[in-house]
Amino acid sequence: MSDVIVIGAGVVGAACAYYAARAGLDVTVVDRGPVAGGTTGAGEGNILVSDKEPGPELDLALLSNRLWRELAAHGGFEFEAKGGLVVAETADVLRQLTDLAAKQGVEHTAVPGEALGGYEPHLAPGLAGGVHYPQDAQVQPMLAAARLLEIGADSYGHGTLHLRTGVTVHGLLRAGGAVTGVRTSHGDILGGAVVNAAGTWGGEIAALAGVHLPVLPRRGFILVTEPLPRPLIRHKVYTAAYVTNVASDSAGLETSAVVEGTPAGPVLIGASRERVGFDRTTSVPVLSRLAAQAVALFPALREVRAIRSYCGFRPYCPDHLPVIGEDPRVPGLYHACGHEGAGIGLAPATGYLLAQRLSGQHADVDLRPFRPDRFTFSGEELG
């Protein structure tokens, strides 16, 4: 019997397992697919503070940013402390960006239009300016999830952090109203607590316990270029529209230019958002729009070939905040899901804080804004 059963081997589940093992708890991680086989494997690896409004999510992001840097000392994450550059096409938008940066209270530098070339020499001319965020970073998300599980098992688990892939959870075991384990395709697994880290499918796991979590899939595409012989882009670069799209409640298609290089040479181009259920059909019009927006930002990309694309599903909650903590409706059930597009960046803080609660400690960050029972059911959430 494990102290904790974590459902989901994406980066959030891996972080929950890592920090629980570090706290001295026995952990079993189960996933119906491979490690990072869901949303994590379709992510860019963003670790951002630049796109967060002041408030609880920014507090979580700042804690996570510090934890990622500590974790990077272990190696194997392809952690890049590259910084982010948010650019504005007009003076009005630039004022909005600088006002947001001032309210955030994080480290930043306002960059006038004529100085943008010092940050990104290949940027298109004529931009009004931008804001540089040195704390923004990136990891390779699949490696990050795998390494967190590996380090947790080797450094802290000592044989007590177990990973079971290809195992589907069909139900939750109960005793006296409390969750005591999971019923799976490979038999029952007993545990002192169960963590729902199922990402986009977090609502389905919650439903097994008879509780409601309005976690919905929000599809996004990424366009990948051929490897470049020399780095073209130094930072994570995106337009101000990205911040607006992140905060949007629209179910329709929204795109904004997000461009960044990788250590292996390819350039990653995003970002799109739309609620179309779990439809994985490749949309050529969306990819064409992403390519056009990237070329408008970096004209040199016009001569670079796109070699592939992929899509994933962000676990979207209506208030754009993740669900973190014990469910007061079902003792023994904890949630760590609903991070939308910020799961990779917020994973360490989520796992760290949840491990504190699992081990009976007071969490370093107030978890009330993320409480699982904050939602009221609406028929619109089914769309």
Side-chain angles (χ1 to χ4, degrees):
M1 174 174 170
S2 295
D3 296 316
V4 183
I5 300 168
V6 178
I7 304 173
V11 70
V12 173
C16 290
Y18 168 84
Y19 283 104
R22 200 177 79 164
L25 301 174
D26 295 347
V27 186
T28 297
V29 180
V30 297
D31 198 297
R32 64 187 178 187
V35 173
T39 298
T40 295
E44 293 176 85
N46 296 333
I47 302 171
L48 304 181
V49 299
S50 55
D51 65 338
K52 307 293 188 296
E53 293 282 346
E57 190 181 23
L58 179 57
D59 295 340
L60 203 64
L62 289 168
L63 171 60
S64 221
N65 196 283
R66 175 174 63 82
L67 293 173
W68 267 124
R69 292 168 191 275
E70 292 176 1
L71 290 167
H74 291 286
F77 297 109
E78 285 191 9
F79 179 84
E80 293 183 273
K82 60 170 63 175
L85 183 66
V86 191
V87 298
E89 293 93 339
T90 68
D92 285 344
V93 173
L94 181 59
R95 278 193 293 272
Q96 294 173 31
L97 282 181
T98 53
D99 287 348
L100 173 62
K103 293 175 184 175
Q104 288 170 320
V106 301
E107 186 179 353
H108 70 276
T109 302
V111 185
E114 63 271 17
L116 285 173
Y119 288 83
E120 290 290 344
H122 298 283
L123 262 178
L127 293 166
V131 179
H132 175 243
Y133 289 86
Q135 288 172 285
D136 282 358
Q138 185 179 17
V139 294
Q140 209 295 337
M142 290 175 282
L143 282 177
R147 282 290 287 156
L148 283 169
L149 291 169
E150 181 182 31
I151 297 167
D154 293 346
S155 300
Y156 304 108
H158 303 297
T160 59
L161 195 166
H162 302 282
L163 172 65
R164 298 183 62 180
T165 56
V167 175
T168 301
V169 173
H170 294 302
L172 300 180
L173 304 176
R174 307 278 281 269
V179 170
T180 58
V182 295
R183 177 156 290 135
T184 81
S185 55
H186 287 61
D188 294 349
I189 306 174
L190 298 178
V194 172
V195 175
N196 171 17
T200 313
W201 298 271
E204 296 178 16
I205 297 300
L208 295 177
V211 296
H212 172 63
L213 283 185
V215 181
L216 298 172
R218 203 175 185 191
R219 186 176 72 180
F221 284 97
I222 300 294
L223 197 58
V224 185
T225 77
E226 63 185 332
L228 303 185
R230 292 176 299 278
L232 178 71
I233 300 159
R234 299 175 178 177
H235 305 82
K236 179 183 180 70
V237 183
Y238 62 89
T239 60
Y242 177 79
V243 180
T244 304
N245 289 355
V246 167
S248 170
D249 295 320
S250 172
L253 175 64
E254 297 174 321
T255 64
S256 53
V258 180
V259 187
E260 61 193 316
T262 64
V267 173
L268 303 181
I269 298 170
S272 68
R273 280 174 162 77
E274 55 186 330
R275 295 216 310 270
V276 292
F278 286 97
D279 182 1
R280 288 189 173 273
T281 304
T282 298
S283 173
V284 174
V286 173
L287 297 178
S288 297
R289 187 188 296 190
L290 293 177
Q293 290 175 333
V295 169
L297 202 56
F298 287 94
L301 288 174
R302 188 180 301 277
E303 307 302 322
V304 177
R305 291 178 298 177
I307 58 173
R308 66 183 180 94
S309 68
Y310 59 93
C311 79
F313 301 99
R314 302 176 182 89
Y316 163 88
C317 282
D319 61 0
H320 301 284
L321 291 178
V323 182
I324 304 171
E326 185 171 14
D327 197 316
R329 302 164 293 186
V330 185
L333 176 63
Y334 292 74
H335 299 286
C337 58
H339 295 75
E340 199 169 336
I344 293 160
L346 299 180
T350 299
Y352 175 80
L353 296 169
L354 209 58
Q356 288 183 316
R357 298 302 301 128
L358 286 164
S359 56
Q361 302 176 51
H362 178 74
D364 288 352
V365 172
D366 184 4
L367 291 178
R368 285 176 295 182
F370 313 108
R371 66 188 188 279
D373 62 339
R374 68 185 189 267
F375 303 101
T376 56
F377 179 75
S378 167
E380 294 181 358
E381 292 164 2
L382 300 176

